Amino acid sequence: MNKRQLGESELYVSEISLGCMSLGTDLDKAKYIIDRALDAGVNYLDTADLYDFGTNEKIVGEAIKGRRDDIILGTKVGNNFTPGQEGWTWDPSKKHIKRGVKDSLQRLGTDYIDLYQLHGGTIDDPIEETIEAFEELKQEGLIREYGISSIRPNVIRRFVEKSNIASVMMQYSALDRRPEEEILDLLSDNNISVLARGPLAKGMLSSNGHEKSQEKAENGFLEYSYEEIQSITRKWQDYGSEDRTPTALALQYVLHHPALATAVFGASSLEQLEENLTYLKAAPLTEQIFGEIQTMTSPVTYQKHR
């Protein structure tokens, strides 16, 4: 599998990668999915301390025993919670981040994290304190690089200006093109990579996406009405062929922009994983098809007909 550099770092991540939030709590099942993904060439695994209140990190840690050197491991911090208790609070403080990394390292069963990400962010955060915490963790060798997970342009701009982040994880798909408005070019210009989560738009751009859209977009989706999503997902299926599944097309679309390092998909079953792995055998995405997709999925196109 092709790998792309994460920012200006020494980390190179596979073009498609596994988001572990959907793995569940069955260790054997999770290990089977992770092993299959790694054997196929996936090398980036993404989790967070908040997922199942630490349980997801434990599951991932157990599943990767003996394979740590094969993996670029990413997790997140910033949500203060107590395992076994409901709820959490936002806490981007230096104290919490430095305590959180130790808890994550223990749960993951490793002595370093490749990519440590702030799991959110607001314009009112003490950004200098947050950045200082991540920089100190790098110096201490507990993390290799750091980034943020955010869809807020104002937060992203502050980190671009003030920090040495290697990456930004954000929601991005052919049905959620908000990052294209200004953020992708900004990050590309500053040599900061994007990790795209939700590249299949809740499964609506997968190979059975039209069926899924009837449930997922019952009340519309972002700027689209239910009827518009139905029209798009029906047309999306027409792009499927022996050369490229609709799922592979969705992954190819987000990876088209030079800012992108990897498309992070979720998989709760081996079948879902295998569907995402069809990306590896897909015919290259042509500029013509990319342009057709942009036109077909453009919210402007639909707004003009309202």
Side-chain angles (χ1 to χ4, degrees):
M1 187 183 302
N2 292 330
K3 294 182 175 62
R4 301 187 182 187
Q5 186 177 13
L6 197 68
E8 297 179 326
S9 75
E10 297 180 354
L11 303 179
Y12 285 79
V13 296
S14 51
E15 287 183 331
I16 60 172
S17 51
L18 181 62
C20 298
M21 184 177 68
S22 302
L23 288 176
T25 56
D26 184 325
L27 175 58
D28 291 338
K29 180 181 177 182
K31 180 172 173 52
Y32 195 61
I33 292 172
I34 288 176
D35 281 344
R36 173 69 183 101
L38 296 179
D39 290 343
V42 169
N43 79 337
Y44 179 67
L45 302 180
D46 188 88
T47 181
D49 58 2
L50 188 63
Y51 298 163
D52 292 325
F53 297 102
T55 299
N56 193 256
E57 285 185 326
K58 290 180 180 179
I59 291 288
V60 172
E62 287 292 326
I64 65 174
K65 281 184 176 179
R67 304 198 67 168
R68 180 65 180 93
D69 292 342
D70 302 331
I71 296 166
I72 304 296
L73 185 60
T75 191
K76 308 179 193 75
V77 68
N79 295 288
N80 202 341
F81 62 90
T82 300
Q85 296 183 14
E86 291 294 325
W88 65 90
T89 57
W90 176 240
D91 189 352
S93 69
K94 180 176 179 179
K95 179 180 179 181
H96 174 67
I97 291 170
K98 300 200 78 170
R99 182 178 66 243
V101 74
K102 294 178 181 178
D103 292 339
S104 287
L105 289 170
Q106 182 179 28
R107 287 190 289 260
L108 290 165
T110 185
D111 55 5
Y112 69 95
I113 293 166
D114 296 291
L115 180 63
Y116 204 36
Q117 301 158 92
L118 185 67
H119 201 175
T122 74
I123 199 68
D124 298 320
D125 289 346
I127 186 172
E128 288 81 7
E129 179 182 337
T130 299
I131 293 169
E132 186 174 280
F134 283 114
E135 290 289 350
E136 288 182 6
L137 292 177
K138 279 189 70 173
Q139 293 172 8
E140 294 165 11
L142 296 180
I143 67 173
R144 297 177 67 186
E145 299 293 341
Y146 67 97
I148 62 171
S149 177
S150 176
I151 60 171
R152 297 179 176 178
N154 55 356
V155 172
I156 293 171
R157 289 192 202 96
R158 289 185 72 199
F159 274 89
V160 170
E161 178 184 351
K162 295 178 176 292
S163 77
N164 295 310
I165 55 171
S167 65
V168 177
M169 173 173 274
M170 64 179 67
Q171 186 169 304
Y172 179 41
S173 72
L175 288 178
D176 186 352
R177 293 168 50 186
R178 289 174 292 179
E180 295 176 3
E181 295 176 6
E182 56 182 307
I183 294 300
L184 294 185
D185 288 343
L186 171 69
L187 296 177
S188 181
D189 290 344
N190 285 275
N191 297 317
I192 297 169
S193 293
V194 173
L195 287 68
R197 63 179 176 84
L200 301 181
K202 297 184 177 181
M204 292 188 290
L205 298 178
S206 66
S207 295
N208 61 342
H210 183 60
E211 178 182 338
K212 285 183 177 294
S213 71
Q214 297 173 26
E215 172 191 353
K216 299 295 184 180
E218 183 178 2
N219 297 312
F221 181 74
L222 298 176
E223 298 171 323
Y224 304 99
S225 69
Y226 173 78
E227 291 76 19
E228 290 165 351
I229 288 291
Q230 290 294 292
S231 175
I232 291 172
T233 56
R234 190 179 297 110
K235 293 176 182 176
W236 191 267
Q237 301 304 302
D238 293 339
Y239 279 92
S241 66
E242 292 184 0
D243 294 331
R244 183 190 297 109
T245 66
T247 296
L249 179 63
L251 297 171
Q252 288 181 324
Y253 179 86
V254 298
L255 288 166
H256 184 268
H257 195 282
L260 267 290
T262 186
V264 185
F265 63 84
S268 59
S269 67
L270 188 61
E271 290 74 21
Q272 288 183 351
L273 173 64
E274 295 294 349
E275 178 63 28
N276 283 281
L277 292 178
T278 62
Y279 168 84
L280 299 175
K281 299 179 179 179
L285 181 64
T286 65
E287 289 296 330
Q288 178 181 343
I289 293 178
F290 180 79
E292 290 174 1
I293 291 171
Q294 286 206 307
T295 300
M296 179 180 71
T297 61
S298 174
V300 175
T301 301
Y302 289 93
Q303 287 169 0
K304 286 180 179 178
H305 291 86
R306 289 188 177 182

